[in-house]
Amino acid sequence: MNITRYINTTYLQMGLIYTGLFHSVWLFSTQFEIISGTVSWYLPAGVRLAAFLLLPLASWPLLLFSEKLTHFILFHPGGVLDNTAFLSGSVGWYLVHLFISPAVVCGCVYVFRRRFAAPYIDNVRSTLATLAFGVLISVALGAVFLGRRAIEVQTDLAAFLSILFDFSLGDFVGIIVLCPLLFALYTRQYINKNESTLFITVGTWLLTLVFSSYLYSQNINISYQIKYLAVFPALFLSYRYAVFGSALSCFFIGITAFVVASQSALPPIEHQFYILALCVSCLILGSSINQSSKLNKKLARNNEDLEIAVQNTQALAAKLVALQEDERKRLSRDLHDDFGHRIVDLKLQLSLIDTTKDHDILIDKIDALYQAMKKSLGGLRPSGIDTLPIESVIERSDIITTLKRAKINFSFNLSGTPINFKPEQKIHIYRIVQEAVTNSIKYANAKTLSIDISYESQSATFTVADDGAGIPDTIEGTVDAKPTLGLLSMKERAKLIDGTLDITSFTPSGTVVSLSIPTYNIQ
C-alpha cells in the first residue's frame, strides 16, 4: 500500500485547517450555552460534515487524527483547557470517540457521496437530500455519544430520548448554519463580480443587529422585531443570489438568532426552530432559483442550436430549390436551342421535298413533336418567366390549359397596379399557384376555381380558391398533421421570397390558398 496516498503535505494542511476551524467554532458554541442557557447548538457538527463531504476520501485519516489529537492536547490534565468533562477515562469513552463515531461518520458520508456530489445545495433534490442526511447523521452520532453515557449511568428510555432530541437538534442547527456557506465557498459558488446590492443588504443587516444590541444596552428591547425583520433580507439574498445567497443567509440567520437569544429569555427550542424554519426556506428557495437558472440557460442553448439547425435547413432548402430551377432553366434552354432547331430544320427539309408519299403525315407528326417539346419546356420553365409580368405568365401558362382540359369553371382576376417582380421571385410565385391549382384538380375534385391577384400599397397577394373537398385533417390543420411534399414545397418557396402562405380549408368544402408578399421585398 502506498502510504503517501493518505499521508502527504496537502492532506496534512487540510487536517490542520479542519481541526483549527473545528475547535474554534467549538469554543464559540460553548459561549452560546453560557448566555442564560438560551441557545443550544453545536457548530462543530457543521464543520465536520462539510469537511467529510467536500474533502477527498484519502484525506479522512489525517482529518480524524488531527481532530482527536488536538482534542487530547486541549483537554487532558495539564493541557491548554484542562477540562476532564470532555475527556473521560472510561473504556467506553475511548471506544466511542476513537472508533465508533468516526466509523459512523465515514460510513454514512461515504454512502451519501456515492449518490450526490458537491455543492449539494444546487438543486431542490440534492438540497432536500442533504438536509435529510444532516438530520440522520445528527441522530446517529447523538445515539452513539449519548448511548454510551446512558449505559454507564443507566438512564431510563424516556429521559434518553428527550436528551437525544435536544442533542440532535443542536447538531443539526450547527450543520444548517455552517455547512451551506462552507459548501458554497469551497465549490466557488460565490459572486465573481462586484455586487453592491449584496454588500448593502448584508451591511444593513449587520448594522441592524448592532443597533439592536445598542438599544438593548439602553434597556430598549427590539429583539422580537429584529428576529422577524431578518426574514426579508434572508429571502431576498436567496432569491437574488441563489446558492451563495441562501448559504450566506443561513450564516447570518445564525448570527441573528445569537443576538436575539442574548436579549431574550425564550427557551432554546424557540431559537432553534426559528433558525431551522428560515434556513430551510432559504436553501430551498436558493436551490430552486439556481436550478431554474440552469434549466433556462440549457433551454436557451438548445433554442440557439435549434435556430441554427433551422437556418441551416432553410439555407439548404433555398439552395436546393435554386439548383432545381437552374437545372430546369438549363434543360429548357438546351431543348429549345438544340432539339427545337433540329425539328424546325427537319420540317424545312421536308417542305422542300414534294414527292414524299407521306409528306403531310410527316409534317403533322413533326408539328405534334414540336408542340410536345414546347409543353415539356413549359413544365421545366414557364414561357416568358424572364421577360413578362407574372400575371401574363400565368394567363398563358399550362396552369390555364390544365384548368380548361379538366373542364373546371375558372376565373382570373387582377386588381391594382402590377409590380415588376424579379425572375427568381416570379418563378416561386408561379410554382405556388401551380401547386395550388394542381391540388384542386387532382385531390379536391373542384368544380369552380378562381385565381385572384391583388396589388396594394403594402403587399401583393395571390389567391387560389376552389369549392372542392378541402384538405383532410391528417394533412393540414391538426396537431398531428403531416403536410405533403407539395404543401411543404409551397411553404418553403414562400419563405424564400419573404412571403406569408395561408391555407384555409372550409367546412363542408372549399380551400383558399393565399400568398402575401410585402412590397418592400419587391424591387
Side-chain angles (χ1 to χ4, degrees), residues 211-271:
F211 181 66
S212 171
S213 300
Y214 171 75
L215 291 180
Y216 183 74
S217 66
Q218 303 297 317
N219 297 321
I220 301 175
N221 193 339
I222 61 169
S223 60
Y224 180 86
Q225 290 81 359
I226 293 298
K227 185 176 182 180
Y228 292 101
L229 282 175
V231 172
F232 297 102
L235 295 179
F236 171 76
L237 290 175
S238 302
Y239 173 78
R240 179 70 180 272
Y241 303 106
V243 172
F244 180 73
S246 62
L248 197 62
S249 294
C250 290
F251 180 72
F252 283 107
I253 289 167
I255 296 177
T256 301
F258 169 70
V259 173
V260 170
S262 66
Q263 300 172 7
S264 65
L266 292 173
I269 198 169
E270 293 285 341
H271 304 293

Side-chain angles (χ1 to χ4, degrees), residues 133-189:
F133 179 67
V135 174
L136 174 65
I137 201 167
S138 297
V139 174
L141 288 176
V144 169
F145 286 121
L146 298 178
R148 186 267 312 174
R149 187 183 303 173
I151 292 174
E152 290 179 352
V153 299
Q154 297 182 346
T155 306
D156 63 271
L157 182 61
F160 171 75
L161 292 177
S162 177
I163 298 172
L164 177 61
F165 177 81
D166 293 339
F167 183 96
S168 303
L169 192 61
D171 267 26
F172 186 58
V173 168
I175 288 172
I176 205 170
V177 168
L178 282 186
C179 269
L181 185 60
L182 295 176
F183 290 159
L185 293 176
Y186 187 84
T187 55
R188 300 178 181 272
Q189 295 286 319

Side-chain angles (χ1 to χ4, degrees), residues 73-316:
I73 293 174
L74 290 175
F75 301 113
H76 80 279
V80 178
L81 299 178
D82 191 5
N83 193 332
T84 56
F86 300 105
L87 189 63
S88 172
S90 68
V91 176
W93 186 93
Y94 284 101
L95 184 64
V96 166
H97 281 75
L98 297 182
F99 298 102
I100 298 179
S101 66
V104 169
V105 172
C106 294
C108 292
V109 171
Y110 177 77
V111 173
F112 184 78
R113 285 180 62 159
R114 296 197 54 159
R115 294 291 304 274
F116 298 94
Y120 302 108
I121 54 172
D122 62 336
N123 61 70
V124 176
R125 178 174 176 268
S126 63
T127 298
L128 293 176
T130 303
L131 292 174
F133 179 67
V135 174
L136 174 65
I137 201 167
S138 297
V139 174
L141 288 176
V144 169
F145 286 121
L146 298 178
R148 186 267 312 174
R149 187 183 303 173
I151 292 174
E152 290 179 352
V153 299
Q154 297 182 346
T155 306
D156 63 271
L157 182 61
F160 171 75
L161 292 177
S162 177
I163 298 172
L164 177 61
F165 177 81
D166 293 339
F167 183 96
S168 303
L169 192 61
D171 267 26
F172 186 58
V173 168
I175 288 172
I176 205 170
V177 168
L178 282 186
C179 269
L181 185 60
L182 295 176
F183 290 159
L185 293 176
Y186 187 84
T187 55
R188 300 178 181 272
Q189 295 286 319
Y190 47 82
I191 308 300
N192 292 319
K193 59 182 179 179
N194 183 22
E195 282 283 352
S196 58
T197 305
L198 174 66
F199 296 120
I200 292 173
T201 304
V202 172
T204 303
W205 194 344
L206 291 175
L207 286 175
T208 304
L209 295 178
V210 172
F211 181 66
S212 171
S213 300
Y214 171 75
L215 291 180
Y216 183 74
S217 66
Q218 303 297 317
N219 297 321
I220 301 175
N221 193 339
I222 61 169
S223 60
Y224 180 86
Q225 290 81 359
I226 293 298
K227 185 176 182 180
Y228 292 101
L229 282 175
V231 172
F232 297 102
L235 295 179
F236 171 76
L237 290 175
S238 302
Y239 173 78
R240 179 70 180 272
Y241 303 106
V243 172
F244 180 73
S246 62
L248 197 62
S249 294
C250 290
F251 180 72
F252 283 107
I253 289 167
I255 296 177
T256 301
F258 169 70
V259 173
V260 170
S262 66
Q263 300 172 7
S264 65
L266 292 173
I269 198 169
E270 293 285 341
H271 304 293
Q272 289 173 326
F273 276 107
Y274 166 77
I275 294 172
L276 296 180
L278 190 50
C279 286
V280 168
S281 300
C282 290
L283 289 174
I284 293 178
L285 176 59
S287 61
S288 299
I289 297 297
N290 186 67
Q291 185 174 356
S292 176
S293 177
K294 287 184 176 180
L295 291 176
N296 287 338
K297 290 179 180 178
K298 182 178 180 180
L299 181 61
R301 288 194 299 270
N302 291 340
N303 287 338
E304 290 177 0
D305 294 340
L306 180 60
E307 182 66 25
I308 292 173
V310 170
Q311 291 175 358
N312 291 339
T313 302
Q314 290 178 343
L316 178 61

Side-chain angles (χ1 to χ4, degrees), residues 240-500:
R240 179 70 180 272
Y241 303 106
V243 172
F244 180 73
S246 62
L248 197 62
S249 294
C250 290
F251 180 72
F252 283 107
I253 289 167
I255 296 177
T256 301
F258 169 70
V259 173
V260 170
S262 66
Q263 300 172 7
S264 65
L266 292 173
I269 198 169
E270 293 285 341
H271 304 293
Q272 289 173 326
F273 276 107
Y274 166 77
I275 294 172
L276 296 180
L278 190 50
C279 286
V280 168
S281 300
C282 290
L283 289 174
I284 293 178
L285 176 59
S287 61
S288 299
I289 297 297
N290 186 67
Q291 185 174 356
S292 176
S293 177
K294 287 184 176 180
L295 291 176
N296 287 338
K297 290 179 180 178
K298 182 178 180 180
L299 181 61
R301 288 194 299 270
N302 291 340
N303 287 338
E304 290 177 0
D305 294 340
L306 180 60
E307 182 66 25
I308 292 173
V310 170
Q311 291 175 358
N312 291 339
T313 302
Q314 290 178 343
L316 178 61
K319 186 67 175 178
L320 290 175
V321 170
L323 290 174
Q324 182 187 50
E325 292 301 333
D326 289 343
E327 184 65 14
R328 284 176 171 176
K329 184 177 181 180
R330 185 188 66 79
L331 289 173
S332 176
R333 183 178 62 250
D334 291 347
L335 285 173
H336 181 273
D337 294 344
D338 188 6
F339 289 94
H341 290 167
R342 289 174 183 271
I343 292 172
V344 171
D345 181 63
L346 178 61
K347 186 176 179 180
L348 179 61
Q349 293 297 324
L350 284 174
S351 65
L352 299 176
I353 303 174
D354 296 332
T355 60
T356 304
K357 181 179 180 181
D358 298 323
H359 178 275
D360 293 337
I361 296 175
L362 290 174
I363 290 295
D364 291 340
K365 287 185 177 181
I366 290 174
D367 287 339
L369 178 61
Y370 187 72
Q371 293 301 321
M373 187 194 71
K374 288 184 64 177
K375 183 179 179 181
S376 297
L377 290 175
L380 288 172
R381 190 166 181 84
S383 177
I385 195 70
D386 296 313
T387 56
L388 298 176
I390 183 62
E391 55 273 7
S392 299
V393 174
I394 294 174
E395 277 188 300
R396 56 185 291 179
S397 69
D398 286 343
I399 295 176
I400 303 301
T401 305
T402 303
L403 286 170
K404 291 178 180 179
R405 190 181 302 115
K407 297 181 179 180
I408 292 178
N409 184 20
F410 70 92
S411 62
F412 184 86
N413 305 301
L414 175 65
S415 63
T417 303
I419 298 174
N420 186 24
F421 290 94
K422 292 181 178 180
E424 57 268 25
Q425 293 172 321
K426 288 190 287 185
I427 190 61
H428 292 306
I429 296 171
Y430 177 85
R431 296 299 184 197
I432 291 173
V433 174
Q434 183 184 45
E435 182 67 27
V437 171
T438 300
N439 288 339
S440 296
I441 297 173
K442 189 174 181 180
Y443 302 110
N445 297 319
K447 302 300 180 183
T448 61
L449 182 143
S450 65
I451 300 175
D452 300 307
I453 303 177
S454 175
Y455 293 104
E456 300 177 356
S457 59
Q458 299 296 324
S459 64
T461 304
F462 298 80
T463 304
V464 177
D466 65 41
D467 62 349
I471 301 176
D473 291 340
T474 54
I475 295 178
E476 186 76 20
T478 64
V479 176
D480 298 325
K482 296 180 179 179
T484 63
L485 182 61
L487 292 178
L488 287 174
S489 175
M490 293 167 68
K491 292 179 178 179
E492 286 301 320
R493 287 183 181 275
K495 290 179 182 178
L496 292 177
I497 54 177
D498 290 333
T500 302

